[in-house]
Amino acid sequence: MTNPLFFSFFLLFIFLLHCTKTSAQAPAAAPSGPPNITAILEKGGQFTMFIRLLESTQQDDQINTQLNNTNQGLTVFAPTDNAFSSLKSGTVNSLSDQEKVSLVQFHVLPTLMTISQFQTASNPLRTQAGNSDAGEYPLNVTTSGNQVNLTTGVNDATVANTVFSSANLEVYQVDNVLLPLDIFAASPAPAPSKPEKDLPAATPKGSSTDVTNVDTSAAALSLNHRAPTVLTFGVAVLAAVAFRP
């Protein structure tokens, strides 16, 4: 009797020990709620620079808040690290804080758009940077089959693949950083300076003006020399008439 009872307790102990280990090794359940843009990009493994830009401008919090409070969803174009590396040195660092915010917002559409919806989209696409209906931050899309191309007026980008897709968020990998026209447009050429007021040109020596002045002066000098002669002649005539018998 002892041996069968001991054997039963031994089997029960082994069973409980196995259940305990299995329970400890089970992965924790994923937290419920809307997707987190930073976590999605970190999982993608090639968006480190875009994540830094999102965090430095606090647009990661803005996107996550919108995902919690919007029924329209969001679309995010995520440039790869290679896309940022291909920019000229200082392209992003030279921007003001507000321009960096606008740069990130230019990569976000305030609506959920699938690849097939791009084929029937109206240009320009509305982004979260400015009002595209008023001509601010225009972003145009063209498609060729399933290929989606984006044009900013400064550069072009192609949607490489879908990083994440859910009921309220689409994240697409793009091969170039989208450079908005309102920030990166070529500076206008400076306006030509107003010409100074025309000054009267100096009259060259020997010109007609000098000749006229010289002639006038010569005439005056001639009259001055002749005046005594004429006066003397007049006095002589008067004297002759006075003494005439």
Side-chain angles (χ1 to χ4, degrees):
M1 293 293 295
T2 304
N3 289 338
L5 182 61
F6 175 80
F7 184 74
S8 298
F9 276 111
F10 179 78
L11 291 178
L12 179 62
F13 174 78
I14 296 298
F15 175 77
L16 292 175
L17 182 63
H18 176 74
C19 291
T20 301
K21 289 183 178 180
T22 303
S23 176
Q25 292 174 356
S32 59
N36 180 288
I37 185 62
T38 304
I40 291 169
L41 294 174
E42 286 177 345
K43 187 176 180 180
Q46 53 181 333
F47 305 102
T48 303
M49 295 183 181
F50 190 48
I51 292 173
R52 290 177 185 172
L53 192 57
L54 283 166
E55 292 176 340
S56 66
T57 58
Q58 299 181 345
Q59 289 304 295
D60 57 336
D61 292 336
Q62 176 66 29
I63 291 172
N64 292 332
T65 299
Q66 287 181 262
L67 292 173
N68 274 307
N69 298 286
T70 182
N71 294 323
Q72 295 180 331
L74 295 174
T75 301
V76 177
F77 300 112
T80 62
D81 292 336
N82 287 337
F84 278 96
S85 298
S86 66
L87 294 175
K88 292 182 179 179
S89 178
T91 297
V92 176
N93 291 335
S94 63
L95 300 179
S96 66
D97 290 343
Q98 182 54 53
E99 287 174 333
K100 290 178 182 178
V101 170
S102 297
L103 176 61
V104 174
Q105 291 176 336
F106 192 58
H107 289 74
V108 182
L109 308 182
T111 55
L112 182 75
M113 294 195 69
T114 63
I115 292 294
S116 60
Q117 288 175 320
F118 284 118
Q119 297 175 357
T120 58
S122 299
N123 287 318
L125 297 178
R126 181 187 172 197
T127 71
Q128 296 204 146
N131 182 4
S132 59
D133 292 336
E136 297 177 342
Y137 296 89
L139 177 62
N140 295 317
V141 59
T142 58
T143 60
S144 177
N146 289 329
Q147 180 174 316
V148 178
N149 302 311
L150 303 169
T151 303
T152 72
V154 176
N155 69 337
D156 302 327
T158 299
V159 173
N161 58 62
T162 302
V163 178
F164 181 84
S165 180
S166 70
N168 64 342
L169 177 64
E170 292 282 348
V171 180
Y172 298 109
Q173 174 185 327
V174 290
D175 60 353
N176 282 316
V177 179
L178 302 176
L179 304 179
L181 184 65
D182 290 59
I183 297 177
F184 294 96
S187 302
S193 58
K194 294 182 179 180
E196 296 181 0
K197 293 183 178 179
D198 293 338
L199 297 176
T203 304
K205 293 182 179 180
S207 65
S208 58
T209 304
D210 285 339
V211 172
T212 303
N213 291 337
V214 170
D215 290 345
T216 304
S217 299
L221 183 60
S222 175
L223 288 175
N224 288 339
H225 284 293
R226 292 177 182 179
T229 304
V230 172
L231 181 59
T232 302
F233 178 76
V235 170
V237 169
L238 291 176
V241 172
F243 288 100
R244 187 177 180 181

